[in-house]
């Protein structure tokens, strides 16, 4: 890896700034959202919006600090076959995590606290709420999270090779969801997204993986299958 390749990638300054902004906004936004006097369905939609807006804001801080545009963050086109493969990876990940939760996690931890009550309420709160969930949780949130966790964090870790980048960024993504029953599912989804990011150098397959995973999970949730 030459110096030019390294300099065209987010560095310590950019990832630190992005992480600090994300933490502050998640904390402040979380306090505001969870204290809103609204129904559980509306609260869930606000939580999806927060989960989309915070990583987007952190990403744009990193872009402004780097001052080299969007290209260093994986904004490059790839053949359509990669996007189709990414959709398949997302759906396969959803299937794997659903089986993991049903047959392993829930039996092992039957009394575990439900940490996504708002999300669940929004997904099952009627047609308008469901459409909002698909727009926010199935499309906008995955795009925002991939900007930060792949475009900035995984890209930053790329300098240490595929294992560090794939496992490290997936672990950070999973832990960002808290230590709970969602953590393993987030890690599995992160693995698929990070592997495609390493293989293609483009953020778009990662975005498609995340969108396919979230959208299919939300559809199952809304129909009572998950």
């Amino acid at each position: 890896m030459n110096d030019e390749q390294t300099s065209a990638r987010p560095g310590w300054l950019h990832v630190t700034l992005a992480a600090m902004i994300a933490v502050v906004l998640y904390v402040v936004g979380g306090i505001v959202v969870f204290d809103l006097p609204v129904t559980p369905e509306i609260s869930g939609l606000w939580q999806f919006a927060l989960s989309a807006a915070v990583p987007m804001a952190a990403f744009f801080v990193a872009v402004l600090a780097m001052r080299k545009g969007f290209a260093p963050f994986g904004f490059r086109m790839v053949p359509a076959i990669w996007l189709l493969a990414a959709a398949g990876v997302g759906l396969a990940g959803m299937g794997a995590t659903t089986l993991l939760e049903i047959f392993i996690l829930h039996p092992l931890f039957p009394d575990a606290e439900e940490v996504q009550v708002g999300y669940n309420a929004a997904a099952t709160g009627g047609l308008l709420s469901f459409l909002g969930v698909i727009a926010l949780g199935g499309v906008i949130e995955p795009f925002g999270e991939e900007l930060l966790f792949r475009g900035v964090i995984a890209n930053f870790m790329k300098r240490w090779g595929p294992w560090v980048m794939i496992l490290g960024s997936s672990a950070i993504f999973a832990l960002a969801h808290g230590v709970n029953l969602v953590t393993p599912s987030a890690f599995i989804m992160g693995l698929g997204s990070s592997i495609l990011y390493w293989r293609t150098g483009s953020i778009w397959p990662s975005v498609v993986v995340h969108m396919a995973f979230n959208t299919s999970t939300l559809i199952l949730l809304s129909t009572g299958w998950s």
Side-chain angles (χ1 to χ4, degrees):
M1 184 181 300
N2 58 42
D3 292 338
E4 182 179 354
Q5 289 175 312
T6 302
S7 65
R9 184 174 298 133
W12 283 103
L13 171 64
H14 315 108
V15 77
T16 300
L17 283 174
M20 291 175 59
I21 293 296
V23 169
V24 170
L25 292 180
Y26 274 130
V27 171
V28 174
I31 293 172
V32 172
V33 167
F34 283 102
D35 283 342
L36 288 175
V38 295
T39 65
E41 293 84 358
I42 298 300
S43 177
L45 292 174
W46 273 112
Q47 290 173 47
F48 277 121
L50 178 68
S51 296
V54 169
M56 283 186 187
F59 167 77
F60 281 111
V61 167
V63 172
L64 291 173
M66 194 167 183
R67 295 185 296 179
K68 292 186 178 180
F70 295 105
F73 297 89
F75 277 72
R76 56 179 62 90
M77 299 305 297
V78 293
I81 188 65
W82 281 111
L83 302 181
L84 291 174
V89 169
L91 293 174
M94 179 277 296
T97 57
T98 299
L99 293 176
L100 175 67
E101 291 176 4
I102 292 174
F103 293 107
I104 298 178
L105 295 180
H106 288 305
L108 287 177
F109 307 100
D111 298 322
E113 181 183 0
E114 174 56 65
V115 297
Q116 294 187 312
V117 175
Y119 291 164
N120 296 347
T124 57
L127 178 59
L128 289 179
S129 181
F130 171 72
L131 293 176
V133 162
I134 295 299
L136 289 170
V139 178
I140 302 175
E141 181 194 60
F143 179 64
E145 289 188 337
E146 290 305 309
L147 290 180
L148 175 61
F149 290 99
R150 247 56 65 181
V152 178
I153 295 174
N155 208 353
F156 166 74
M157 301 179 79
K158 205 172 185 178
R159 68 196 69 217
W160 294 303
W163 289 107
V164 172
M165 190 208 83
I166 293 168
L167 295 177
S169 64
S170 299
I172 292 171
F173 175 72
L175 291 174
H177 289 74
V179 180
N180 48 60
L181 293 185
V182 176
T183 310
S185 298
F187 182 74
I188 291 172
M189 202 292 300
L191 284 177
S193 180
S194 298
I195 289 170
L196 284 178
Y197 189 71
W198 173 266
R199 289 295 304 272
T200 66
S202 170
I203 199 170
W204 299 117
S206 299
V207 170
V208 172
V209 169
H210 204 150
M211 287 182 177
F213 183 96
N214 275 25
T215 299
S216 56
T217 300
L218 291 169
I219 290 172
L220 282 182
L221 182 63
S222 69
T223 57
W225 284 90
S226 176

